[in-house]
Amino acid sequence: MAGLLEIHDKDGHPEHKLNLERSEVPFICGGCKELGFGLRYQCPNMECDYILHHECGLGLGYGRPPTQKFFKKCDFQFHRQNPLPGTRICDICALDIRGFLYQCSDGDYDLHPHCASLPLTFTLPGSNEVIKLREKIESRCLKCQRKERASGKVQGLSYVSSDGMLCYHVACLKEACLDNWTMGYFQLDALANEERKILALQNFAPNQEVRLRAGQSANAMRGIRLVITFLKLVVSAILGEPFTLVSTLFQISQN
């Protein structure tokens, strides 16, 4: 599905068309009300702060998710607000839906537009290790240390390494990114400080060693690098790959 260089949100922002831009600065999407990075649609008026995720803009433009492949039997349609009674939960991240959404035509499944675009698989550089978006997991999440992350009947999905040893709930990823932004760790000047960078990484994986130290064994260093690379890929998926931010955050020196 082709991209759109500009869109017109006639109901939410009728004054101006929104232009497609890339930014390293985080924002709250005016459509889905979720945290966003990277590609976005923004009003050209410098005094206006109306911004949409790239994925939310595509929803407005096309009415259907461009890349959703996990729920293959569902016919998803875009809505500005939930058309059904009651609160709806995203079936990928298991978090509340507060704005724009894709909803299956039979009402069984709901997705945040950004969640609908998450990659199903990617490969760790320099290895045969494949990370997959999965429903059932065997190991505990690196963040919450639980195997399940559910809201009511909605289980939510997780990114899992091919050996099953590394796992991260999508919900926990989104919450950890929001926490790091709130604490100021996603500012490039803050990430220039090695200690603050370590704090940001430690917030992603509280029970994992993320600091390379002199005197560590080769196996220990390999394990730390594997965890950091896993985090880099799954965080990039959630943030929409803001290159400078991600490359700076996960560039760890040895102390």
Side-chain angles (χ1 to χ4, degrees), residues 36-47:
F37 289 83
L39 280 178
R40 63 190 189 179
Y41 288 101
Q42 183 168 8
C43 179
N45 183 351
M46 299 298 293
E47 297 181 357

Side-chain angles (χ1 to χ4, degrees), residues 29-58:
C29 175
C32 68
K33 316 305 180 186
E34 296 278 306
L35 182 67
F37 289 83
L39 280 178
R40 63 190 189 179
Y41 288 101
Q42 183 168 8
C43 179
N45 183 351
M46 299 298 293
E47 297 181 357
C48 178
D49 60 357
Y50 190 72
I51 301 172
L52 296 178
H53 278 118
H54 178 229
E55 297 82 4
C56 288
L58 292 181

Side-chain angles (χ1 to χ4, degrees), residues 86-180:
T87 301
R88 307 299 288 186
I89 306 297
C90 176
D91 283 274
I92 289 180
C93 71
L95 297 175
D96 288 353
I97 291 177
R98 298 173 293 157
F100 289 5
L101 75 155
Y102 288 115
Q103 190 170 86
C104 185
S105 57
D106 60 13
D108 287 345
Y109 296 98
D110 304 90
L111 307 176
H112 290 118
H114 179 63
C115 289
S117 72
L118 292 178
L120 297 185
T121 63
F122 37 80
T123 304
L124 289 175
S127 75
N128 296 321
E129 185 74 27
V130 178
I131 299 172
K132 294 184 178 181
L133 191 61
R134 293 171 51 183
E135 184 174 10
K136 296 182 179 180
I137 61 175
E138 302 298 330
S139 56
R140 298 181 183 276
C141 172
L142 291 175
K143 177 65 173 177
C144 71
Q145 294 297 298
R146 301 196 304 257
K147 290 186 178 181
E148 295 184 357
R149 175 66 192 265
S151 179
K153 296 181 179 180
V154 178
Q155 174 65 43
L157 306 183
S158 306
Y159 278 115
V160 185
S161 59
S162 56
D163 62 4
M165 299 302 294
L166 297 175
C167 164
Y168 220 118
H169 299 137
V170 173
C172 291
L173 265 172
K174 294 175 73 172
E175 290 173 348
C177 287
L178 182 59
D179 287 344
N180 275 348

